[in-house]
Amino acid sequence: MQRIARIVGPVIGLAVVVVIVLRLDTNGWGSLLFLATAISTTAIRAPFERQNKANTITRKDNESSENLLLFGVGLGGTILPMLHLLTGLFSFADYDLPDWATALALAGVIPGLYLFWRSHTDLGRNWSVTTEIREDHTLVTTGIYSKVRHPMYTAIWLLFGVMPLMVHNWIAGVAVIATYGVMCIVRIPREEQMMVDTFGEEYRAYMAHTGRLVPRLRRSFGAG
Ligand code: SAH
């Protein structure tokens, strides 16, 4: 089964790339940036997915609602845009943007990809797709995590936030803003509660000097 997936996966991937490139005139340059972003995030995540398969999970919260939220993000962030770029399914809801919109999207994509890579590297074996605790889980408070508690979610916001500039469609380019928004609103408080349950005072102290998605503004003077 795995052998079939190893062959079929790349063939489908290649076919998607070829069709999207051939439809460049219809979809515009943003579609190629979307494709490059999807390939880059998959490549950044792949080694961590392989490595973290060896982890033993000791706590996994709200499994079915987590899966539903992830499905929403997958639908808005990958399935609908890919389907539209490949077939023009939602073309009745297309809008026009000039070519410079793609250049503007780079303002989200470049820092987004950097932060996506950096947060995976800093979390290492503590990273997981869903909210869970593994055996020998360590609290990471260094690197990018010394500034923000959820840099990976910030990275994904940067990437999804510019989707409407890459996929010019009111459904396929915009849906992910809603589905990812819902996921963050539901998941972040749950994840933080799980971290407090696991690491107690250590996590509370960490929360006191970090921001959730953006670094906390520090007072530049005063008694500390
Ligand atoms: N919310 C973080 C991590 C996303 S990966 C971010 O946006 O960067 C999700 C998993 O990371 C959670 O299941 C939790 O187990 C783990 N995690 C989150 N913050 C962590 C930290 N500071 N140290 C170690 N593990 C952490």
Side-chain angles (χ1 to χ4, degrees):
M1 190 68 194
Q2 266 191 342
R3 261 177 76 162
I4 297 174
R6 266 208 295 271
I7 298 167
V8 173
V11 171
I12 293 177
L14 191 65
V16 165
V17 171
V18 169
V19 174
I20 290 183
V21 170
L22 287 175
R23 286 175 54 83
L24 176 63
D25 274 354
T26 311
N27 293 323
W29 287 101
S31 62
L32 294 194
L33 184 59
F34 168 75
L35 193 62
T37 306
I39 293 170
S40 306
T41 49
T42 307
I44 290 170
R45 184 160 272 188
F48 296 93
E49 251 164 12
R50 269 198 300 275
Q51 166 200 304
N52 289 1
K53 266 191 196 144
N55 285 342
T56 306
I57 310 305
T58 54
R59 171 172 168 175
K60 198 173 172 82
D61 286 2
N62 310 104
E63 212 171 331
S64 41
S65 66
E66 284 260 326
N67 286 339
L68 192 65
L69 293 169
L70 282 174
F71 174 75
V73 176
L75 186 72
T78 310
I79 299 171
L80 295 182
M82 284 289 185
L83 208 60
H84 176 64
L85 295 179
L86 290 169
T87 66
L89 183 67
F90 304 112
S91 52
F92 59 89
D94 275 347
Y95 51 81
D96 279 330
L97 282 181
D99 281 347
W100 56 256
T102 306
L104 196 63
L106 282 172
V109 168
I110 292 170
L113 284 180
Y114 168 74
L115 214 51
F116 194 71
W117 165 77
R118 187 69 210 263
S119 49
H120 277 82
T121 307
D122 285 345
L123 267 192
R125 66 178 293 282
N126 300 301
W127 169 76
S128 54
V129 177
T130 52
T131 307
E132 58 193 46
I133 295 290
R134 62 226 91 254
E135 215 167 74
D136 302 320
H137 200 121
T138 52
L139 177 63
V140 178
T141 58
T142 52
I144 198 74
Y145 285 86
S146 63
K147 306 257 185 296
V148 269
R149 300 195 289 283
H150 304 286
M152 199 175 291
Y153 300 159
T154 310
I156 298 170
W157 265 126
L158 286 167
L159 300 172
F160 285 157
V162 294
M163 274 274 277
L165 297 174
M166 301 190 283
V167 179
H168 308 162
N169 185 273
W170 288 111
I171 298 166
V174 178
V176 73
I177 310 256
T179 57
Y180 192 60
V182 172
M183 197 199 95
C184 283
I185 290 169
V186 175
R187 180 162 169 175
I188 293 177
R190 281 179 178 175
E191 187 174 319
E192 293 192 339
Q193 186 56 53
M194 186 190 71
M195 297 304 277
V196 168
D197 292 348
T198 308
F199 295 101
E201 265 319 298
E202 203 186 342
Y203 195 77
R204 281 189 209 281
Y206 170 62
M207 286 173 95
H209 67 263
T210 48
R212 258 189 171 166
L213 292 167
V214 289
R216 220 167 239 232
L217 289 176
R218 282 169 208 280
R219 274 176 296 165
S220 54
F221 58 89

